[in-house]
Amino acid sequence: MKHAGQDTKTKQNALLETLKKDSLDAVILHDATSICWLLNVRAFDVPFAPCITAYLIAYSSGKIKLFTSSLAGPSVESYLKNNNVTLAGLDSFEKSLMELKNKKVLLSELAPFFLAERLKNYVLGKDPCLLPKAIKNKIELQGALKAGAKDSKALMNFFNWLDKALKGKKLTELDIVDKLIQFRKEQKNFISPSFPNIVGFNDNAAIIHYQPKESSNKKITGNGILLIDSGGHYLEGTTDITRTIAIGKPTAEQIHNFTLVLKGHISLITSIFPEGACGAHLDTLAHIALWKEGKDYDHGTGHGVGSVLEVHEGPQSISRNGTYPLMEGMIVSVEPGFYKPKHYGIRIENLAYIKKSKFPGYLTFEALTYVPIDAKLVDHKMLTRDETDWLLNYNRKCSEIHKA
Ligand SMILES: [Mn+2]
C-alpha cells in the first residue's frame, strides 16, 4: 500500500461498480499483472516480473476468489482474508468456472480460449484493470521518479566504471550484463532486473532482440558502438533504459545515424499533443528525421510500463498500431533506433510520464530517465538550436541527479 497509493478495497469497489453498471454477474481476470495490481500483492513466480500465476473471479456480490498455488505465508493469507478475498488452489478453478456457466461473465479479449469454451454467457471486453493500472496515481508516479533517479545513478556509476575498465583487461558483453546487475544492486530497494539485459557490440547490436550468450559473446575491443538496454524493478517502480556509446573512434556514418535517432527522440519527448491523441499519431515524430533519408527502424517506438509488474504494459503504445489515447499519468518508453544489419545498432531509450502541458487540453512528456547521451556520437551541426538546448539541459540534469 505504501507504494501502491491506493488500497485493494478501493480498487475492488471500483471494479464492483463496473460489474453493476454492465449488469454482470462476475468478471474473470487471467492477467497476472491485473490480479497483482488489484490485490496489491507481488511475488516471484515469474522471472523479471514480480507477479503471481493465478486466476481471479470477482463476483457482483463483492466476493473475490483467488486461485493460485503460489501465495504462501500466513501474513499474506490473513491480509487477503481481511480484504474479502478467498484463497483457493489452482486445481479448484475449473469447478468455480463451471458454476458460472450460465451467468453473465466479463472476459478479457485476451483471455485464454478455454475460458470462453467453458462459459455460455460471456461478454468479451477489455480487462477492467487495464486502464486504472496504466494510469499511475500520485504515489506510483512519485515512486517512478524515485526509481528513475536511482536507476539513473546506478547506470552513471556503471558507465564511469566501464570507462576505466575498458582501458584495462578486455571485457565481454556477458561481463557487462553481470556488472549492470551489480551496480543496480547497490541502489536501495532493488528487486531484480526487469527483463533479460541486452548488451550488444557492433554487429550483435544490429539484431534488435539480441541477448548475449556464451556462443555469441563478443569482446568489447577496437572501434565500434555498444548498445546497452537494461532495466530494474525497485520497490518504488520499474525502469527501462537504452544507451548506445562509442568505443574507440566512431565512424562519420555512425555519428550521422546516431544523431538522426537522437533528433527523433527529442522530437517525440518534447512534443505537446491534444488530449485524445494516440501513440500512432505521435509515432511519426520519432521516425521523421530517419525517413527523410530513406531510413527506418522495425520496432515500436514506445510501450507502457507497469509499476513493479511487467516492463511492457498496455493499453497504450507508441507505434503504428498504437490506437489507444495517451493519457495523463501513463508511463511510456521513448525508444527510436536504427540498425545497420551485420554492422551495428543504435537505440536511445528513456522512460517518461505523461502530464498536462502549459496549454489547457494539451499533454506532454516528462522524462524519468537521466543518463547522459554520449557526446562522441552527436553531430552538433545536424541539431537545431532547440535540440542543442534540450541536450545541454538534459545532460545538466543528469549530473545534478548523479550528485544528489
Ligand atoms: Mn523498452
Side-chain angles (χ1 to χ4, degrees):
M1 172 55 198
K2 192 175 136 208
H3 300 294
Q6 197 180 38
D7 61 22
T8 176
K9 282 257 170 72
T10 311
K11 294 178 181 180
Q12 290 176 22
N13 287 339
L15 183 61
L16 203 57
E17 284 305 310
T18 312
L19 290 181
K20 281 194 186 136
K21 194 173 81 265
D22 298 330
S23 331
L24 294 158
D25 296 311
V27 54
I28 299 179
L29 300 183
H30 74 283
D31 184 327
T33 66
S34 290
I35 295 171
C36 289
W37 174 85
L38 178 69
L39 302 179
N40 285 341
V41 294
R42 300 294 186 270
F44 298 97
D45 285 9
V46 195
F48 307 109
C51 294
I52 51 170
T53 39
Y55 288 101
L56 182 147
I57 304 177
Y59 298 90
S60 55
S61 64
K63 283 207 165 56
I64 288 185
K65 271 192 201 168
L66 175 67
F67 304 87
T68 179
S69 303
S70 62
L71 278 176
S75 66
V76 181
E77 277 171 33
S78 73
Y79 161 78
L80 289 174
K81 211 174 140 198
N82 290 336
N83 283 290
N84 211 15
V85 181
T86 314
L87 204 52
L90 267 179
D91 48 358
S92 63
F93 178 57
E94 181 86 22
K95 190 173 157 265
S96 295
L97 193 58
M98 293 318 281
E99 286 164 7
L100 289 173
K101 201 171 176 174
N102 297 306
K103 303 276 188 201
K104 197 174 165 197
V105 179
L106 174 62
L107 268 189
S108 149
E109 296 150 340
L110 303 171
F113 181 64
F114 83 91
L115 292 177
E117 240 180 0
R118 304 284 196 287
L119 303 165
K120 279 199 186 128
N121 198 10
Y122 63 85
V123 182
L124 278 188
K126 284 237 180 304
D127 178 333
C129 297
L130 194 63
L131 188 60
K133 173 161 63 80
I135 297 177
K136 276 35 176 188
N137 62 43
K138 226 171 107 192
I139 302 287
E140 286 171 319
L141 277 180
Q142 280 169 7
L145 279 160
K146 242 187 223 163
K150 284 198 277 190
D151 203 58
S152 300
K153 269 192 190 181
L155 265 269
M156 284 187 266
N157 292 339
F158 159 80
F159 278 116
N160 285 343
W161 166 84
L162 184 65
D163 213 32
K164 291 183 201 110
L166 283 170
K167 291 179 184 122
K169 78 174 179 75
K170 294 281 168 283
L171 294 169
T172 67
E173 293 168 344
L174 284 173
D175 293 334
I176 290 178
V177 169
D178 290 343
K179 274 289 172 188
L180 283 164
I181 296 178
Q182 223 176 296
F183 277 99
R184 283 199 166 91
K185 273 188 184 156
E186 284 177 5
Q187 298 296 320
K188 221 177 132 198
N189 295 342
F190 174 72
I191 302 170
S192 73
S194 51
F195 57 94
N197 293 170
I198 296 172
V199 177
F201 187 51
N202 285 341
D203 54 327
N204 277 344
I207 306 161
I208 290 176
H209 298 293
Y210 173 76
Q211 275 161 31
K213 286 188 272 310
E214 283 299 340
S215 57
S216 66
N217 193 19
K218 256 186 143 59
K219 279 205 174 82
I220 317 297
T221 176
N223 295 321
I225 50 181
L226 177 66
L227 184 152
I228 300 176
D229 184 352
S230 67
H233 293 295
Y234 299 81
L235 278 183
E236 299 88 348
T238 298
T239 65
D240 184 1
I241 165 175
T242 310
R243 284 295 177 271
T244 308
I245 61 161
I247 304 294
K249 201 176 160 15
T251 66
E253 182 200 276
Q254 286 167 341
I255 293 172
H256 185 85
N257 288 329
F258 182 92
T259 310
L260 293 177
V261 174
L262 177 61
K263 286 170 87 73
H265 185 98
I266 298 173
S267 174
L268 178 55
I269 209 159
T270 59
S271 64
I272 294 176
F273 53 91
E275 280 169 8
C278 305
H281 297 130
L282 301 190
D283 191 39
T284 307
L285 294 170
H287 288 266
I288 198 79
L290 288 160
W291 284 350
K292 277 183 187 161
E293 299 192 6
K295 294 168 185 166
D296 205 358
Y297 56 93
D298 194 15
H299 59 72
T301 302
H303 54 83
V305 180
S307 286
V308 204
L309 293 166
E310 270 185 47
V311 73
H312 292 168
E313 162 184 290
Q316 76 275 26
S317 106
I318 303 176
S319 70
R320 288 180 192 196
N321 306 321
T323 53
Y324 205 90
L326 297 174
M327 297 160 87
E328 189 185 350
M330 285 177 167
I331 296 177
V332 289
S333 67
V334 173
E335 48 180 310
F338 177 75
Y339 308 86
K340 184 173 178 180
K342 298 197 171 65
H343 286 84
Y344 58 87
I346 294 164
R347 186 159 64 248
I348 305 171
E349 175 183 26
N350 285 340
L351 295 190
Y353 68 95
I354 298 171
K355 60 170 198 179
K356 285 193 174 76
S357 76
K358 58 187 171 192
F359 307 112
Y362 287 77
L363 301 171
T364 189
F365 299 99
E366 178 84 38
L368 291 163
T369 313
Y370 288 96
V371 176
I373 310 274
D374 188 358
K376 270 162 83 183
L377 283 167
V378 179
D379 179 355
H380 285 275
K381 291 189 297 299
M382 290 167 64
L383 297 182
T384 64
R385 182 66 200 265
D386 282 353
E387 287 166 343
T388 304
D389 285 349
W390 180 89
L391 190 58
L392 285 173
N393 274 326
Y394 181 79
N395 283 344
R396 188 179 307 135
K397 186 136 189 215
C398 294
S399 50
E400 279 165 22
I401 282 183
H402 195 207
K403 274 184 236 141

